[in-house]
Each structure stands twice: as structure tokens, then as C-alpha cells.
Amino acid sequence: MVSNKQVILRNYISAGFPKETDLYVTTGDIELKLPEGSNGILVKNLYLSCDPSMRPRMKKLEGSYVNSFTPGLPISGYGVSEVLDSGNPEFKKGDLVWGRTGWEEYSLITAPHLFKIQNIDMPLSYYIGILGMPGMTAYVGLQSYVVGSAGSKDKVDLLKNKLGFDEAFNYKEEPDLNVALKRCFPEGIDIYFENVGGEMLDAVLLNMRIHGRISICGMISQYNLEKPEGIHNLIQLIVKRIRMEGFLVLDYYHLYPKFLEMIIPRIKEGKIVYVEDIAEGLENAPTALVGLFKGHNVGKQVLAVTRK
Amino acid sequence: MVSNKQVILRNYISAGFPKETDLYVTTGDIELKLPEGSNGILVKNLYLSCDPSMRPRMKKLEGSYVNSFTPGLPISGYGVSEVLDSGNPEFKKGDLVWGRTGWEEYSLITAPHLFKIQNIDMPLSYYIGILGMPGMTAYVGLQSYVVGSAGSKDKVDLLKNKLGFDEAFNYKEEPDLNVALKRCFPEGIDIYFENVGGEMLDAVLLNMRIHGRISICGMISQYNLEKPEGIHNLIQLIVKRIRMEGFLVLDYYHLYPKFLEMIIPRIKEGKIVYVEDIAEGLENAPTALVGLFKGHNVGKQVLAVTRK
């Protein structure tokens, strides 16, 4: 038996920003050996990912493509882990994996849907970021010329000077998003990668070009609201003959080997720059996760449970 | 010189249902001969179409694909007309045409974008309905199994018993559109043809199936509002990976001969049933047009200026 620190959801959070007190850290214990006859795997968690998509799981959800967290139990999400014991022929002790795991030091995963990490010359934490679900999501959505929007001057500078965006603006400082978009896109927007929702989507709809396309995979501005904001400019879909389509990266993981083949050389050559914001230790897990919704992180928010 | 009765827009109508007093009928006069050197055409208007899409043109529009009407001048729309005089080599005296014309007895059309009516064994009024822009719009949107929604018991009966809809409901009598849709589509909606907007769109989004498609060419529930209603359930586009795409029939008129080839035999065989609601005389034009937004018409609202 060893001790097992865990991050627990206290209660469902229906609306509003999650607070640090909505989560608590406790210490249980765990046998570092699979139960007799188990075909699951036992892992030691190395890195955990703070993702906006965890927010809906803090509500009581019905009929969604993800399950709610359970109050009183550890929350879960994407992580990088090391296999300690395996009853599954696909994994063996010592394997490094990424995928769904618990927010705790050690997890017993009964039905593992995990990717084995083959390219270990990359930082392991990249597998919950640029080489994992978020990177794959961006890859599925588009590959193109980009104007970015971020919530601080530092982030805007980062977009323009380090990450290679052609243009960027600070949405918190713009008195009128419509004006900001007109400035950045004097001839209109061909493609919008929707991760924000609300006011931004309404302003974008006004600035789309004829036959423009909107690829949607998230709406972070809506996750803390009890009732989503209304979108008022959908008539633009007709006027501009716009195609708007939602997607989930879940449907595209068969392309994952192709994605890695494309992206790893580009990271190595410095053509794609990746920025992480790493918090250390499960004690800091609540702060890291709730900070995400206030924009405290600069770059991909990662939690290092223990360093490999 | 002959007298020329005309239907005039009094002033822009920014919000609210148009009232009969927003329009007035007056009598001008017109020379029944083209001005010297004109390459336009002079027509006698036979049938005028009352279309929901005329409502936005009563506002002061900017940057739309149609122009606003001009207060003090006759309104315009789709009509069936007879050519009285032509300076354009494509048209000659006696031709029957359909397309954009004025709400008046005689119109001088300077840049004619009109279709010549070839199949004169069909009722002429059909060319502003099933054989014109509305029919062509439906053809472009989809050809499929259908559940309809209408605003009275008589209309619902018509949909089910005469027009061949598989199912239909009265949206004015349903306490909860979501429940109505669940009843009609226990396994969800594959394709929604959007002409309504507002609450109906929000309820439909909740009932779409994974990879469903929404084809949008109108939002009649929004045309009388100062500010469009907000749509709150767009997150369903992601959850269900829905494609939602606007279109305008304007982009597809190259398919018009194919459309006629498909639809005329079906009308003749009675496989497609078409219902018209014909008002007589320009005096009744305001009543016919404003009635459209209250659902007074049963079938396609047509105004017969004079019978051919």
C-alpha cells in the first residue's frame, strides 16, 4: 500500500466560474498491483492537462458525448502516464502512454483507451498538448493563414512575435469586436476556427465573406454560464452562404499517425513553436484548472504531478 | 398615356409587423411604348408574388444581397408579366416572362433579368410559385421524407392529407416545440430545412442527430423584429457534428432547366400538389402582403393584378 493524493470535485457547479474551493485535495491509498484477473492497467500519472472542456463535466450533464464528473470522486482528464502493471496485452510495465486518466498520483484504468508514446525524443508533456488532443484538434480543423485573438498584451505579443500569427488583437481591450475584426480583415474572413462563442461569434458572423466557412470545436465563453448567450446574427449564414460545421477530434483519431508525421519534424525545425505553462504538484491542481477560465495561463496549461 | 395603379411604400419599417397603412395604392400614368433608344422592356404585370423575403426590403438595409425598397416609390418583387414592347433582343412583344418586376399595372424594366415562360400549359401564376423562385429554392435545398410545421389545424391537415407530408404539427398549439419534435422524430432529425429561425431553430438543434444537416434559406420569425432573437443551442453543432449551411437560390439558376424537367411531369401526374391563395386586384395588395406575416394565407400567396 502506498498513499495516493487525489483531486476531488466537491459538488456539481451549475453556473459561474469554478472556484478553487469547488475542488479539494485528499490522500487515499492504493495497492501498486492490479487486482487478480484484472485486464486493466495501473499507471503512475506524470502530467495532467487542464482543458476548457473539463468545465462542462463539472455540471450534471445529460445526453452529452462526455460524462459528468462524480462529486466525491477524483476528476479525470487527459494525462501522460507510466504503466506500472498491466493485465492488457497491448500495454506492458514501463510503457509511457497518453489518454484519459484520473487526477491523482496513481490510477487504475479498467478499460484503457490510450496511445502508447513512441517518440520519446519529445518532451513527455507535449503529449497532452501539441502532440495530443489539442494539437490533433487544431490539425483536424484547418492549416492556414491566421489572425489570433487573446486576452492580454503579453499573449498578443506572443502570438505575433513568437508563434508566427500574421495579426492578433486583445479582445479585452477592444471596445467593439466588430471594428477590431474589420481592421484585421478589411476584405472579410474566409475561415473562422470557433473556440469562443458568444459575442465573438456574433461579430465574426458580421465579418465573414461570401462562401466562408466556420469550423467549430469549442465555445469557452459559454461554459460558465447557466444559460448560453444568444447568437443574433445567424441570418448571415444565408446572406453570405456560410457553411458552419461542428466537429469532435474523437472522430478523427485514425489520422493520428499522419498528424505526428506532419508535426514532429516541424517542431524540431522550429517552424511550429509550442508554449507550455506548467504548474507543479497536485496541491496546485485547483489553482491551475480554475485559472484557465480567467486566462491566467500563458500557453498550454499543464500540471506536472511528478517529473519524469 | 394610360393610368398605372401602383403600390407604394410609405416609410421604412424598422421593426414590428408591417401594417396595411405602411403601404398605399395610388394611380400614376405611363406611356405604353418604350422611350426612344431604350434597351429595356415594357411589361404588363399579370401576377405578383407575396414573399416573406420582401419584409427585410421594407427596412433600410446595408450590405445585403437585396436592395431596400424606396419610400414613395412602388415596391417590387417576383411577378409574371407580358411583354408589351421590347428594346432587348432576348424579348419580343407577346412574350410571357417571370422575374423581378414592380407592384403596379405596367412596369418599365431597364435591365431585365427575366425568364421566358416556355411551358404555357401550366397555370401562369405557378411561375411565381412552384415553377419559380420558391419551387426552385425547395429543389436546391433538398428532396426528401418530410415532417412539416404549420400555424393552423387546416394547414396541418393540408400538409398531411393533400401535400403528402409524412407527419405535421401545429406550432401555435404545441406548448413545447422540443416535445413536439421528439414526438415526430423519436430518433432525431437528419435534415432540417430552415425557413423559420428563433425558437424553432433552438428546438431543432436539440433534436438533431449526429452528423445531421441544416440547410438555411430564410428565417421568417425574425423579419419583424428590431433585433433578431438569440439562438442558444449552437453548442449542439459541436456535440452532434452538425453541418449548417446557408444558400441563396440566386447561385443556382443555371439548374433551372433541370428543375423544370423534373417538376413539370410530377405536377401533371399529381405527385406534387401545389396550392395557391390568390388575392384579386392591386387594391388588395397590402392586405395580401401583410397577411403573410400573420399566416392568413393557405398556400402560396399570389396577387392577381389582372387575369390572363
Side-chain angles (χ1 to χ4, degrees):
Chain A
M1 280 289 190
V2 300
S3 71
N4 189 17
K5 216 178 282 180
Q6 299 182 309
V7 180
I8 312 285
L9 178 67
R10 201 179 294 275
N11 271 308
Y12 290 125
I13 314 166
S14 56
F17 285 97
K19 300 181 302 297
E20 294 176 22
T21 51
D22 291 325
L23 300 164
Y24 63 92
V25 180
T26 185
T27 302
D29 50 31
I30 187 169
E31 191 81 53
L32 286 191
K33 205 178 159 318
L34 280 177
E36 198 72 40
S38 164
N39 56 4
I41 64 172
L42 181 74
V43 298
K44 179 175 183 183
N45 295 315
L46 304 176
Y47 294 96
L48 296 172
S49 176
C50 296
D51 288 304
S53 53
M54 295 169 72
R55 176 63 184 89
R57 302 183 68 202
M58 298 176 184
K59 304 178 199 184
K60 199 171 167 60
L61 293 174
E62 274 163 46
S64 181
Y65 63 96
V66 287
N67 295 326
S68 295
F69 297 133
T70 306
L73 291 181
I75 62 175
S76 61
Y78 284 94
V80 172
S81 313
E82 181 180 356
V83 177
L84 299 184
D85 193 5
S86 172
N88 183 308
E90 285 184 45
F91 302 97
K92 60 175 199 305
K93 187 168 159 31
D95 280 350
L96 292 166
V97 295
W98 74 265
R100 287 287 177 89
T101 191
W103 276 49
E104 54 194 349
E105 288 173 287
Y106 303 97
S107 295
L108 177 60
I109 302 175
T110 49
H113 296 286
L114 299 164
F115 289 90
K116 229 185 287 192
I117 295 173
Q118 317 279 3
N119 310 72
I120 54 164
D121 56 343
M122 286 277 138
L124 285 178
S125 61
Y126 280 29
Y127 285 92
I128 47 170
I130 191 170
L131 299 182
M133 182 277 286
M136 184 66 186
T137 300
Y139 175 70
V140 170
L142 60 97
Q143 313 172 30
S144 153
Y145 166 100
V146 186
V147 173
S149 157
S152 74
K153 186 180 176 310
D154 286 351
K155 290 182 190 179
V156 168
D157 289 347
L158 190 68
L159 291 178
K160 292 210 285 199
N161 303 325
K162 189 160 174 196
L163 302 184
F165 279 61
D166 299 279
E167 195 46 79
F169 62 91
N170 179 348
Y171 67 89
K172 290 184 180 166
E173 298 285 314
E174 294 289 344
D176 184 333
L177 290 175
N178 184 20
V179 170
L181 291 171
K182 280 208 183 352
R183 188 179 68 235
C184 294
F185 299 96
E187 299 183 45
I189 302 168
D190 288 304
I191 298 179
Y192 173 52
F193 199 123
E194 165 66 308
N195 266 310
V196 176
E199 272 181 62
M200 183 67 88
L201 177 56
D202 255 342
V204 165
L205 282 167
L206 292 177
N207 285 280
M208 290 297 289
R209 296 183 72 170
I210 286 176
H211 296 300
R213 286 173 293 152
I214 299 179
S215 180
I216 316 189
C217 71
M219 290 190 167
I220 190 173
S221 70
Q222 305 301 297
Y223 297 164
N224 294 299
L225 306 177
E226 189 153 25
K227 185 179 179 187
E229 285 178 273
I231 299 299
H232 298 274
N233 297 330
L234 282 181
I235 197 104
Q236 296 296 325
L237 295 184
I238 306 174
V239 175
K240 309 267 200 43
R241 298 82 131 176
I242 295 165
R243 175 180 296 180
M244 187 157 154
E245 187 165 351
F247 76 94
L248 289 172
V249 67
L250 300 177
D251 297 336
Y252 295 91
Y253 275 122
H254 57 283
L255 299 176
Y256 186 63
K258 267 188 94 137
F259 165 63
L260 284 187
E261 203 179 290
M262 178 282 289
I263 202 162
I264 288 179
R266 284 173 173 76
I267 296 173
K268 289 183 175 170
E269 293 162 22
K271 285 190 182 159
I272 289 181
V273 178
Y274 183 55
V275 179
E276 295 181 306
D277 192 336
I278 304 189
E280 302 285 341
L282 282 171
E283 295 77 7
N284 292 311
T287 305
L289 182 57
V290 305
L292 197 64
F293 298 95
K294 307 280 184 156
H296 291 170
N297 56 312
V298 177
K300 166 69 192 174
Q301 181 68 61
V302 171
L303 186 77
V305 182
T306 180
R307 291 281 185 168
K308 175 75 184 176
Chain B
M1 278 288 189
V2 300
S3 70
N4 189 18
K5 215 176 282 178
Q6 299 182 309
V7 180
I8 311 287
L9 179 68
R10 202 179 295 276
N11 271 309
Y12 289 126
I13 314 165
S14 58
F17 285 97
K19 300 182 300 300
E20 294 176 21
T21 51
D22 291 324
L23 299 164
Y24 63 93
V25 180
T26 186
T27 302
D29 50 32
I30 188 168
E31 190 82 52
L32 285 191
K33 202 177 159 324
L34 280 176
E36 198 71 40
S38 164
N39 56 5
I41 64 172
L42 181 74
V43 299
K44 178 175 185 184
N45 294 315
L46 304 177
Y47 294 96
L48 296 172
S49 176
C50 295
D51 288 306
S53 54
M54 295 169 72
R55 177 61 183 91
R57 303 184 67 202
M58 298 176 185
K59 304 178 198 182
K60 200 172 165 62
L61 293 173
E62 274 163 44
S64 181
Y65 62 96
V66 286
N67 296 326
S68 295
F69 298 133
T70 307
L73 290 182
I75 62 174
S76 61
Y78 284 95
V80 173
S81 314
E82 180 180 356
V83 178
L84 299 184
D85 192 6
S86 173
N88 184 306
E90 285 184 46
F91 302 97
K92 62 176 195 305
K93 186 168 159 33
D95 280 351
L96 292 166
V97 295
W98 74 265
R100 287 288 176 88
T101 191
W103 276 49
E104 54 194 347
E105 288 173 286
Y106 302 97
S107 295
L108 177 61
I109 303 175
T110 49
H113 294 287
L114 299 164
F115 288 92
K116 228 184 289 190
I117 295 173
Q118 316 279 5
N119 310 72
I120 53 165
D121 55 342
M122 286 277 138
L124 285 177
S125 61
Y126 280 30
Y127 285 91
I128 48 172
I130 191 171
L131 299 182
M133 182 277 287
M136 184 67 188
T137 300
Y139 175 70
V140 170
L142 59 95
Q143 313 172 30
S144 153
Y145 167 100
V146 185
V147 173
S149 157
S152 74
K153 185 179 175 310
D154 286 351
K155 290 183 190 177
V156 168
D157 288 347
L158 191 66
L159 291 178
K160 292 210 285 200
N161 302 325
K162 188 158 175 196
L163 301 184
F165 279 59
D166 298 279
E167 195 45 80
F169 61 90
N170 179 349
Y171 67 90
K172 290 184 180 165
E173 297 285 314
E174 295 288 344
D176 184 333
L177 290 175
N178 185 20
V179 170
L181 291 171
K182 280 207 182 355
R183 186 180 71 235
C184 294
F185 299 96
E187 299 182 44
I189 302 168
D190 288 303
I191 297 179
Y192 174 52
F193 199 122
E194 166 66 307
N195 267 311
V196 176
E199 270 180 63
M200 182 67 87
L201 177 56
D202 255 342
V204 164
L205 283 166
L206 292 177
N207 284 280
M208 291 297 290
R209 296 183 72 169
I210 286 177
H211 296 299
R213 285 172 294 152
I214 299 179
S215 181
I216 316 189
C217 71
M219 289 191 167
I220 191 174
S221 71
Q222 305 301 297
Y223 297 165
N224 295 300
L225 306 177
E226 189 153 27
K227 186 178 179 188
E229 284 178 275
I231 299 298
H232 298 273
N233 296 328
L234 282 181
I235 197 105
Q236 296 297 325
L237 296 184
I238 307 173
V239 175
K240 282 54 167 292
R241 299 80 132 177
I242 294 164
R243 174 180 297 180
M244 186 156 153
E245 187 165 351
F247 76 95
L248 289 172
V249 67
L250 300 177
D251 297 337
Y252 296 92
Y253 275 122
H254 56 283
L255 299 176
Y256 186 64
K258 267 188 94 136
F259 165 64
L260 285 187
E261 202 179 291
M262 178 284 286
I263 202 162
I264 288 180
R266 283 174 175 74
I267 296 173
K268 289 184 174 170
E269 292 163 22
K271 286 189 181 159
I272 289 181
V273 178
Y274 183 54
V275 179
E276 295 181 304
D277 191 335
I278 304 189
E280 301 285 340
L282 282 170
E283 296 75 8
N284 291 311
T287 305
L289 182 57
V290 306
L292 197 65
F293 298 95
K294 306 280 182 152
H296 291 169
N297 57 312
V298 178
K300 164 69 191 174
Q301 181 68 61
V302 172
L303 185 76
V305 182
T306 181
R307 291 282 185 166
K308 176 75 185 176

